[in-house]
Short mmCIF file of all heavy atoms in Angstrom, two decimals:
data_model
loop_
_atom_site.label_atom_id
_atom_site.label_comp_id
_atom_site.label_asym_id
_atom_site.label_seq_id
_atom_site.Cartn_x
_atom_site.Cartn_y
_atom_site.Cartn_z
N ALA A 30 -1.23 -20.76 -55.59
CA ALA A 30 -2.47 -20.08 -55.20
C ALA A 30 -2.18 -18.88 -54.30
O ALA A 30 -2.79 -17.82 -54.44
CB ALA A 30 -3.42 -21.05 -54.52
N LEU A 31 -1.23 -19.02 -53.37
CA LEU A 31 -0.87 -17.89 -52.50
C LEU A 31 -0.36 -16.72 -53.33
O LEU A 31 -0.63 -15.56 -53.02
CB LEU A 31 0.19 -18.30 -51.48
CG LEU A 31 -0.25 -19.17 -50.32
CD1 LEU A 31 0.96 -19.59 -49.49
CD2 LEU A 31 -1.28 -18.46 -49.45
N GLY A 32 0.36 -17.02 -54.39
CA GLY A 32 0.91 -15.97 -55.26
C GLY A 32 -0.15 -15.18 -56.00
O GLY A 32 0.14 -14.10 -56.52
N GLN A 33 -1.37 -15.69 -56.04
CA GLN A 33 -2.47 -14.99 -56.71
C GLN A 33 -3.28 -14.13 -55.76
O GLN A 33 -4.15 -13.37 -56.19
CB GLN A 33 -3.40 -16.00 -57.40
CG GLN A 33 -2.71 -16.84 -58.45
CD GLN A 33 -2.12 -16.00 -59.57
OE1 GLN A 33 -2.79 -15.14 -60.13
NE2 GLN A 33 -0.85 -16.21 -59.87
N LEU A 34 -3.02 -14.24 -54.47
CA LEU A 34 -3.80 -13.51 -53.47
C LEU A 34 -3.22 -12.12 -53.20
O LEU A 34 -2.00 -11.96 -53.21
CB LEU A 34 -3.84 -14.28 -52.15
CG LEU A 34 -4.56 -15.62 -52.16
CD1 LEU A 34 -4.41 -16.30 -50.81
CD2 LEU A 34 -6.03 -15.44 -52.51
N PRO A 35 -4.08 -11.13 -52.95
CA PRO A 35 -3.60 -9.79 -52.61
C PRO A 35 -3.14 -9.75 -51.14
O PRO A 35 -3.78 -9.16 -50.27
CB PRO A 35 -4.82 -8.91 -52.85
CG PRO A 35 -5.99 -9.80 -52.60
CD PRO A 35 -5.55 -11.17 -53.05
N LEU A 36 -2.02 -10.40 -50.89
CA LEU A 36 -1.53 -10.62 -49.53
C LEU A 36 -0.02 -10.76 -49.58
O LEU A 36 0.52 -11.38 -50.49
CB LEU A 36 -2.14 -11.92 -48.97
CG LEU A 36 -1.77 -12.36 -47.57
CD1 LEU A 36 -2.37 -11.40 -46.54
CD2 LEU A 36 -2.28 -13.78 -47.32
N GLY A 37 0.67 -10.17 -48.61
CA GLY A 37 2.11 -10.37 -48.49
C GLY A 37 2.38 -11.62 -47.69
O GLY A 37 1.78 -11.83 -46.63
N VAL A 38 3.26 -12.48 -48.18
CA VAL A 38 3.63 -13.70 -47.46
C VAL A 38 5.13 -13.92 -47.62
O VAL A 38 5.62 -14.05 -48.73
CB VAL A 38 2.89 -14.95 -47.98
CG1 VAL A 38 3.35 -16.19 -47.23
CG2 VAL A 38 1.39 -14.79 -47.88
N LYS A 39 5.83 -13.94 -46.50
CA LYS A 39 7.26 -14.27 -46.48
C LYS A 39 7.39 -15.52 -45.62
O LYS A 39 6.82 -15.61 -44.53
CB LYS A 39 8.08 -13.15 -45.85
CG LYS A 39 7.99 -11.81 -46.56
CD LYS A 39 8.90 -11.74 -47.73
CE LYS A 39 8.94 -10.32 -48.27
NZ LYS A 39 9.80 -10.19 -49.42
N ALA A 40 8.16 -16.50 -46.11
CA ALA A 40 8.37 -17.75 -45.38
C ALA A 40 9.72 -18.32 -45.79
O ALA A 40 10.34 -17.85 -46.74
CB ALA A 40 7.24 -18.73 -45.67
N LEU A 41 10.14 -19.36 -45.09
CA LEU A 41 11.43 -19.98 -45.37
C LEU A 41 11.43 -20.80 -46.65
O LEU A 41 12.40 -20.80 -47.40
CB LEU A 41 11.84 -20.87 -44.20
CG LEU A 41 12.03 -20.19 -42.85
CD1 LEU A 41 12.38 -21.22 -41.78
CD2 LEU A 41 13.09 -19.10 -42.93
N ALA A 42 10.35 -21.55 -46.88
CA ALA A 42 10.30 -22.48 -48.01
C ALA A 42 8.87 -22.99 -48.18
O ALA A 42 7.98 -22.59 -47.43
CB ALA A 42 11.25 -23.66 -47.75
N THR A 43 8.71 -23.87 -49.14
CA THR A 43 7.42 -24.55 -49.32
C THR A 43 7.56 -25.99 -48.85
O THR A 43 8.66 -26.55 -48.83
CB THR A 43 6.97 -24.56 -50.79
OG1 THR A 43 7.95 -25.23 -51.58
CG2 THR A 43 6.76 -23.14 -51.29
N HIS A 44 6.42 -26.56 -48.46
CA HIS A 44 6.37 -27.97 -48.06
C HIS A 44 4.95 -28.46 -48.33
O HIS A 44 3.99 -27.80 -47.94
CB HIS A 44 6.71 -28.12 -46.58
CG HIS A 44 7.09 -29.51 -46.20
ND1 HIS A 44 6.21 -30.56 -46.23
CD2 HIS A 44 8.28 -30.02 -45.83
CE1 HIS A 44 6.83 -31.66 -45.86
NE2 HIS A 44 8.10 -31.36 -45.62
N PRO A 45 4.78 -29.62 -48.95
CA PRO A 45 3.44 -30.08 -49.29
C PRO A 45 2.62 -30.63 -48.13
O PRO A 45 1.40 -30.70 -48.20
CB PRO A 45 3.69 -31.18 -50.33
CG PRO A 45 5.06 -31.69 -50.02
CD PRO A 45 5.83 -30.49 -49.51
N ARG A 46 3.28 -30.99 -47.03
CA ARG A 46 2.58 -31.60 -45.89
C ARG A 46 1.91 -30.54 -45.03
O ARG A 46 2.50 -29.53 -44.70
CB ARG A 46 3.56 -32.42 -45.05
CG ARG A 46 2.89 -33.10 -43.86
CD ARG A 46 3.82 -34.08 -43.18
NE ARG A 46 3.91 -35.27 -44.05
CZ ARG A 46 5.03 -35.91 -44.31
NH1 ARG A 46 6.17 -35.54 -43.79
NH2 ARG A 46 5.02 -36.96 -45.10
N LYS A 47 0.64 -30.80 -44.63
CA LYS A 47 -0.05 -29.90 -43.71
C LYS A 47 0.43 -30.14 -42.28
O LYS A 47 0.99 -31.18 -41.97
CB LYS A 47 -1.56 -30.07 -43.82
CG LYS A 47 -2.06 -31.43 -43.36
CD LYS A 47 -3.56 -31.53 -43.56
CE LYS A 47 -4.05 -32.93 -43.17
NZ LYS A 47 -5.49 -33.05 -43.34
N SER A 48 0.16 -29.15 -41.43
CA SER A 48 0.56 -29.27 -40.02
C SER A 48 -0.47 -30.08 -39.25
O SER A 48 -1.57 -30.35 -39.73
CB SER A 48 0.69 -27.87 -39.39
OG SER A 48 -0.58 -27.35 -39.09
N VAL A 49 -0.10 -30.40 -38.02
CA VAL A 49 -1.06 -31.04 -37.11
C VAL A 49 -2.01 -29.96 -36.59
O VAL A 49 -1.76 -28.77 -36.73
CB VAL A 49 -0.36 -31.75 -35.93
CG1 VAL A 49 0.52 -32.88 -36.45
CG2 VAL A 49 0.43 -30.78 -35.09
N LYS A 50 -3.11 -30.39 -35.99
CA LYS A 50 -4.11 -29.47 -35.43
C LYS A 50 -4.39 -29.88 -33.99
O LYS A 50 -5.34 -30.58 -33.71
CB LYS A 50 -5.42 -29.53 -36.23
CG LYS A 50 -5.24 -29.45 -37.74
CD LYS A 50 -4.93 -28.06 -38.22
CE LYS A 50 -5.02 -27.94 -39.72
NZ LYS A 50 -3.79 -28.26 -40.45
N LEU A 51 -3.52 -29.43 -33.08
CA LEU A 51 -3.66 -29.79 -31.67
C LEU A 51 -4.10 -28.62 -30.80
O LEU A 51 -4.32 -28.80 -29.60
CB LEU A 51 -2.33 -30.37 -31.15
CG LEU A 51 -1.79 -31.59 -31.88
CD1 LEU A 51 -0.41 -31.96 -31.37
CD2 LEU A 51 -2.76 -32.75 -31.75
N GLY A 52 -4.18 -27.44 -31.37
CA GLY A 52 -4.58 -26.27 -30.60
C GLY A 52 -3.48 -25.72 -29.71
O GLY A 52 -3.76 -25.01 -28.75
N SER A 53 -2.23 -26.03 -30.03
CA SER A 53 -1.13 -25.54 -29.20
C SER A 53 -0.55 -24.25 -29.76
O SER A 53 -0.81 -23.87 -30.90
CB SER A 53 -0.03 -26.61 -29.10
OG SER A 53 0.53 -26.84 -30.37
N GLY A 54 0.21 -23.56 -28.94
CA GLY A 54 0.86 -22.31 -29.35
C GLY A 54 0.50 -21.17 -28.43
O GLY A 54 -0.37 -21.30 -27.56
N GLN A 55 1.21 -20.05 -28.61
CA GLN A 55 0.99 -18.86 -27.79
C GLN A 55 0.85 -17.65 -28.69
O GLN A 55 1.45 -17.59 -29.77
CB GLN A 55 2.16 -18.66 -26.83
CG GLN A 55 2.36 -19.79 -25.85
CD GLN A 55 3.67 -19.62 -25.10
OE1 GLN A 55 4.74 -19.85 -25.64
NE2 GLN A 55 3.58 -19.20 -23.85
N LYS A 56 0.10 -16.66 -28.20
CA LYS A 56 -0.15 -15.44 -28.97
C LYS A 56 0.30 -14.21 -28.18
O LYS A 56 0.22 -14.20 -26.95
CB LYS A 56 -1.65 -15.33 -29.28
CG LYS A 56 -2.03 -14.15 -30.15
CD LYS A 56 -3.51 -14.17 -30.46
CE LYS A 56 -3.87 -12.94 -31.29
NZ LYS A 56 -5.29 -12.91 -31.59
N ASP A 57 0.71 -13.18 -28.93
CA ASP A 57 1.04 -11.86 -28.36
C ASP A 57 2.14 -11.92 -27.32
O ASP A 57 2.00 -11.41 -26.21
CB ASP A 57 -0.21 -11.19 -27.78
CG ASP A 57 -1.19 -10.76 -28.86
OD1 ASP A 57 -0.74 -10.48 -29.98
OD2 ASP A 57 -2.40 -10.73 -28.59
N LEU A 58 3.27 -12.53 -27.68
CA LEU A 58 4.43 -12.51 -26.82
C LEU A 58 5.65 -12.18 -27.68
O LEU A 58 5.62 -12.36 -28.89
CB LEU A 58 4.62 -13.84 -26.10
CG LEU A 58 5.06 -15.04 -26.94
CD1 LEU A 58 5.64 -16.10 -26.01
CD2 LEU A 58 3.88 -15.62 -27.68
N PRO A 59 6.71 -11.65 -27.08
CA PRO A 59 7.91 -11.37 -27.86
C PRO A 59 8.48 -12.67 -28.44
O PRO A 59 8.45 -13.71 -27.79
CB PRO A 59 8.88 -10.76 -26.84
CG PRO A 59 8.01 -10.28 -25.73
CD PRO A 59 6.84 -11.22 -25.69
N VAL A 60 8.99 -12.58 -29.67
CA VAL A 60 9.61 -13.73 -30.33
C VAL A 60 10.95 -13.27 -30.90
O VAL A 60 11.21 -12.08 -31.04
CB VAL A 60 8.71 -14.32 -31.44
CG1 VAL A 60 7.42 -14.87 -30.86
CG2 VAL A 60 8.43 -13.30 -32.54
N ARG A 61 11.77 -14.22 -31.26
CA ARG A 61 13.03 -13.92 -31.93
C ARG A 61 13.12 -14.79 -33.17
O ARG A 61 13.16 -16.02 -33.07
CB ARG A 61 14.22 -14.18 -31.02
CG ARG A 61 15.55 -13.83 -31.68
CD ARG A 61 16.71 -13.82 -30.70
NE ARG A 61 17.95 -13.50 -31.36
CZ ARG A 61 18.38 -12.26 -31.63
NH1 ARG A 61 17.63 -11.23 -31.29
NH2 ARG A 61 19.53 -12.06 -32.25
N ILE A 62 13.12 -14.13 -34.33
CA ILE A 62 13.27 -14.85 -35.59
C ILE A 62 14.24 -14.08 -36.48
O ILE A 62 14.33 -12.85 -36.39
CB ILE A 62 11.93 -15.10 -36.33
CG1 ILE A 62 11.25 -13.81 -36.72
CG2 ILE A 62 11.00 -15.97 -35.52
CD1 ILE A 62 10.07 -14.01 -37.65
N ALA A 63 14.96 -14.80 -37.30
CA ALA A 63 15.88 -14.20 -38.27
C ALA A 63 16.81 -13.19 -37.62
O ALA A 63 17.09 -12.13 -38.18
CB ALA A 63 15.10 -13.58 -39.42
N GLY A 64 17.28 -13.51 -36.42
CA GLY A 64 18.23 -12.66 -35.72
C GLY A 64 17.67 -11.38 -35.15
O GLY A 64 18.42 -10.48 -34.78
N CYS A 65 16.36 -11.29 -35.04
CA CYS A 65 15.72 -10.05 -34.60
C CYS A 65 14.68 -10.33 -33.51
O CYS A 65 13.88 -11.25 -33.65
CB CYS A 65 15.05 -9.38 -35.80
SG CYS A 65 14.43 -7.73 -35.50
N ASP A 66 14.71 -9.51 -32.46
CA ASP A 66 13.67 -9.58 -31.43
C ASP A 66 12.46 -8.80 -31.93
O ASP A 66 12.59 -7.65 -32.36
CB ASP A 66 14.17 -8.99 -30.12
CG ASP A 66 15.27 -9.82 -29.50
OD1 ASP A 66 15.18 -11.06 -29.54
OD2 ASP A 66 16.25 -9.23 -29.00
N ILE A 67 11.29 -9.42 -31.87
CA ILE A 67 10.06 -8.82 -32.39
C ILE A 67 8.99 -8.90 -31.32
O ILE A 67 8.78 -9.96 -30.72
CB ILE A 67 9.60 -9.56 -33.66
CG1 ILE A 67 10.70 -9.51 -34.73
CG2 ILE A 67 8.29 -8.98 -34.19
CD1 ILE A 67 10.42 -10.37 -35.93
#
């Protein structure tokens, strides 16, 4: 279904299990992924 949407999506892999919904996480801070500071 994601492949049919007019949207770019890059991710590591697929997984059928949904995530938890606890309201945790942070927004608008520097991160480091795939060897790059963003």
Side-chain angles (χ1 to χ4, degrees):
L31 286 175
Q33 300 300 310
L34 295 176
L36 180 69
V38 178
K39 300 278 189 181
L41 299 178
T43 59
H44 198 292
R46 181 170 285 138
K47 65 183 177 180
S48 78
V49 298
K50 312 284 191 272
L51 302 174
S53 65
Q55 298 171 286
K56 183 177 178 181
D57 290 331
L58 71 161
V60 296
R61 182 168 180 83
I62 62 170
C65 189
D66 293 320
I67 302 172

